């Protein structure tokens, strides 16, 4: 994680893009800082800032800040979140996540025929919390950087599409029922920032409900990482027995362990409000930095190679995710 001289220029570039995206999001709240950071990053990374001198720092910005952000996110959550949603809310989220992951696997394998790593990344990103979940799963399944970037871009663009459509769709389906509209937004939209952005286009009550549903999905991140690590190890067992043995020792990366510890600590003895605020601010900003860096690193050649297939995959998963959520909301509420 040490910053070397060769990293500085690229890190500064990623941070500047992130700050500009946050500033621009004030005037384009329907897009949000995360989506803007990725879009700006893609445009700049393939034109003005395509030079090799930025590569090392941008890659650093893509990997390490998000790890810190994921770890700190644990201090903003408590198991009390579960009690606020009730048994119906908990069942809705857990069953929805299981179905989404299962459908992503089926679509990835039989319809779009993408590799297993990409399928797992898409499953984690859609079921849990967008780019943060993808960043958490990628190292434990040994996914390639191009697969990770493409998955993040696809999931983020799908989330942006949901952000633009769910406010109207939720009103059409559930009228002015803020709880159900919050369940739809919090149970489907990919990243935490996009959930808040989508809900804020409806009203403040929906923001509260949607955030609660979303935080339960984030709490489930640890279990999803463990599940995909186990699946990846099973798939690789015949090819690399020795590496598989090593993987048993390091099944979880450090930031997932810290995330879980902070979650437990905050549930037992509530951490002070300033710590919550600091962790939330840093985690949110590092999420924006991650997407800015991914955009800067995502070249046209990679987009062209898998763009149509992955966008079709992502948008279909997003549509199925919404359909599943609507059905489950009618069943549980």
């Amino acid at each position: 994680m040490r910053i070397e001289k060769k990293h500085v220029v690229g890190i500064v570039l990623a941070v500047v893009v992130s700050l500009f995206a946050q500033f621009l999001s004030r005037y384009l709240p329907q897009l949000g800082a995360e989506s803007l950071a990725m879009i700006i990053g893609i445009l700049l990374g393939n034109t003005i800032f395509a030079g090799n001198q930025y590569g090392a720092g941008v890659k650093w910005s893509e990997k390490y800040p998000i790890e810190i952000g994921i770890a700190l996110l644990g201090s903003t959550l408590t198991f009390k979140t579960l009690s606020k949603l009730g048994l119906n809310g908990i069942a809705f989220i857990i069953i929805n996540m299981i179905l989404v992951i299962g459908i992503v696997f089926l679509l990835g394998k039989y319809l779009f025929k993408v590799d297993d790593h990409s399928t797992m990344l898409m499953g984690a990103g859609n079921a849990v919390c967008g780019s943060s979940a993808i960043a958490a799963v990628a190292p434990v399944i040994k996914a390639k950087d191009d697969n990770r970037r493409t998955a993040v871009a696809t999931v983020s663009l799908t989330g942006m599409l949901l952000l633009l459509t769910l406010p109207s769709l939720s009103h059409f389906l559930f009228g002015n029922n803020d709880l159900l509209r919050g369940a739809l937004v919090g149970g489907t939209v990919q990243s935490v920032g996009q959930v808040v952005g989508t809900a804020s286009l409806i009203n403040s009550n929906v923001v509260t409900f949607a955030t609660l549903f979303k935080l339960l999905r984030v709490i489930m991140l640890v279990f999803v990482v463990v599940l995909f690590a186990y699946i990846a190890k099973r798939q690789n067992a015949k090819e690399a027995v020795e590496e598989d043995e090593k993987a048993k020792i390091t099944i979880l990366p450090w930031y997932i362990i810290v995330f879980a510890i902070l979650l437990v600590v905050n549930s037992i003895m509530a951490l002070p409000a300033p710590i919550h605020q600091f962790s939330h601010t840093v985690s949110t900003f590092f999420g924006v930095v991650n997407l800015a860096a991914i955009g800067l690193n995502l070249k046209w050649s990679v987009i062209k190679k898998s763009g149509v297939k992955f966008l079709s995959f992502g948008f279909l998963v997003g549509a199925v995710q919404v359909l599943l959520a609507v059905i489950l909301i009618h069943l549980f509420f």
Side-chain angles (χ1 to χ4, degrees):
M1 192 181 288
R2 187 165 62 92
I3 299 176
E4 300 177 6
K5 187 176 180 180
K6 64 180 180 180
H7 295 141
V8 175
V9 178
I11 292 173
V12 170
L13 175 60
V15 170
V16 169
V17 170
S18 302
L19 291 171
F20 180 66
Q22 286 193 318
F23 170 77
L24 203 58
S25 67
R26 299 176 188 176
Y27 305 97
L28 294 169
Q30 66 272 29
L31 293 180
E34 293 171 317
S35 299
L36 286 168
M38 188 186 67
I39 293 169
I40 295 169
I42 291 173
L43 294 174
L44 294 180
N46 284 280
T47 53
I48 302 172
F49 298 104
N52 293 331
Q53 67 268 34
Y54 306 103
V58 170
K59 286 182 180 178
W60 189 97
S61 303
E62 187 180 340
K63 177 173 173 58
Y64 295 110
I66 191 64
E67 294 181 354
I68 298 171
I70 293 169
L72 289 177
L73 196 59
S75 67
T76 68
L77 306 171
T78 69
F79 289 121
K80 208 170 186 179
T81 303
L82 305 181
S83 63
K84 291 181 181 179
L85 293 178
L87 291 178
N88 285 358
I90 295 170
F92 161 64
I93 289 296
I94 292 176
I95 293 173
N96 191 44
M97 289 179 66
I98 292 172
L99 290 175
V100 168
I101 291 172
I103 287 174
V104 168
F105 270 71
L106 290 174
L107 290 175
K109 183 174 182 179
Y110 295 108
L111 182 59
F112 293 97
K113 301 188 186 304
V114 299
D115 61 273
D116 292 334
H117 286 169
S118 294
T119 300
M120 282 188 270
L121 295 178
M122 291 286 287
N126 282 282
V128 189
C129 52
S131 60
S132 296
I134 292 172
V137 168
V140 300
I141 66 172
K142 296 180 173 60
K144 296 178 181 178
D145 285 344
D146 281 349
N147 289 349
R148 176 174 51 80
R149 290 176 192 132
T150 304
V152 168
T154 304
V155 168
S156 298
L157 289 172
T158 303
M160 188 168 64
L161 184 63
L162 293 179
L163 186 152
L164 295 172
T165 57
L166 282 188
S168 298
L169 181 62
S170 66
H171 183 266
F172 173 76
L173 292 171
F174 304 118
N176 294 319
N177 190 317
D178 291 340
L179 172 63
L180 300 189
R181 297 178 81 181
L184 180 63
V185 174
T188 58
V189 179
Q190 279 74 4
S191 74
V192 176
Q194 287 175 331
V195 166
V196 174
T198 306
S200 64
L201 295 176
I202 304 175
N203 63 53
S204 58
N205 287 334
V206 175
V207 172
T208 300
F209 288 125
T211 302
L212 287 174
F213 282 106
K214 181 61 183 179
L215 292 182
L216 176 53
R217 290 166 67 191
V218 176
I219 288 173
M220 299 299 292
L221 175 62
V222 175
F223 302 101
V224 172
V225 172
V226 172
L227 171 65
F228 286 167
Y230 173 76
I231 293 173
K233 286 181 2 182
R234 286 283 301 264
Q235 291 176 339
N236 294 333
K238 295 180 181 179
E239 300 175 7
V241 176
E242 291 184 3
E243 288 194 9
D244 186 55
E245 290 301 318
K246 293 178 182 178
K248 291 179 182 178
I249 302 174
T250 57
I251 187 171
L252 289 177
W254 71 270
Y255 45 90
I256 292 296
I257 296 171
V258 174
F259 171 95
I261 292 172
L262 289 175
L263 171 61
V264 171
V265 170
N266 195 36
S267 299
I268 296 173
M269 43 172 289
L271 296 171
I275 293 180
H276 290 173
Q277 185 59 45
F278 171 80
S279 297
H280 176 74
T281 301
V282 172
S283 180
T284 300
F285 181 68
F286 281 174
V288 177
V289 171
N290 174 252
L291 281 167
I294 284 172
L296 289 164
N297 256 330
L298 192 59
K299 303 307 178 185
W300 292 128
S301 57
V302 176
I303 298 173
K304 185 177 179 180
K305 182 180 178 182
S306 55
V308 175
K309 178 190 285 188
F310 265 85
L311 282 179
S312 301
F313 188 13
F315 291 166
L316 181 57
V317 169
V320 171
Q321 200 169 357
V322 171
L323 179 61
L324 284 174
V326 171
I327 293 171
L328 291 174
I329 287 170
H330 282 293
L331 287 175
F332 287 103
F333 296 96

